[in-house]
Amino acid sequence: MQNIGSTILRVVLGIIFAVHGFQKFQGGISYTADFFDSIGIPGFMAYVVAIIELVGGAAIILGFATRIFGALLTITMIVAIFTAKLSIGFIGANGLAGYELDLALGAIALYFALAGASSFSLDSQLFNKE
């Protein structure tokens, strides 16, 4: 039963990140780059983040390189919290989202960075490990 629950959690996490990464490109990555510049992060990092979210999300869905992408996505969420969200607060204010979702997604990604994928994953099939 734990493998099923872990797989469901992994797939949902992957979908969320993949959609967010895709949205950054679909909505115009230059807007995200401009936002990054406005908060003191070099604009080119928007491309790095979008690729990590899109590719990492797809890999997490498949359970491929789960620990690696879990770690990268955890780092992405930590940076997002401390650079863009912490000053807004946990719940948010003035129509801006707080860091509660980033914290939850980061914690889930950290779980997969530490625990790896379940037996229902490409990692398990390719490398005979969980």
Side-chain angles (χ1 to χ4, degrees):
M1 226 21 129
Q2 185 176 358
N3 278 334
I4 294 170
S6 179
T7 301
I8 292 168
L9 187 61
R10 192 186 77 237
V11 169
V12 170
L13 180 70
I15 290 169
I16 291 169
F17 274 113
V19 168
H20 276 262
F22 180 75
Q23 179 270 334
K24 284 178 177 62
F25 286 112
Q26 187 72 14
I29 193 73
S30 62
Y31 294 114
T32 305
D34 289 344
F35 171 71
F36 276 34
D37 279 330
S38 77
I39 61 170
I41 299 172
F44 78 89
M45 288 301 295
Y47 293 90
V48 174
V49 169
I51 290 168
I52 289 172
E53 288 179 350
L54 181 61
V55 174
I60 292 282
I61 291 168
L62 298 171
F64 179 72
T66 305
R67 290 179 190 265
I68 294 167
F69 284 110
L72 289 172
L73 293 167
T74 300
I75 292 166
T76 300
M77 291 296 92
I78 291 169
V79 172
I81 290 169
F82 284 101
T83 59
K85 301 287 187 90
L86 197 60
S87 63
I88 300 167
F90 185 76
I91 304 282
N94 301 322
L96 298 173
Y99 63 88
E100 72 279 6
L101 178 61
D102 302 77
L103 183 62
L105 294 174
I108 297 166
L110 179 60
Y111 167 80
F112 288 109
L114 297 173
S118 67
S119 57
F120 304 120
S121 66
L122 281 180
D123 285 345
S124 177
Q125 299 303 311
L126 294 174
F127 307 111
N128 196 26
K129 63 180 180 181
E130 290 191 20

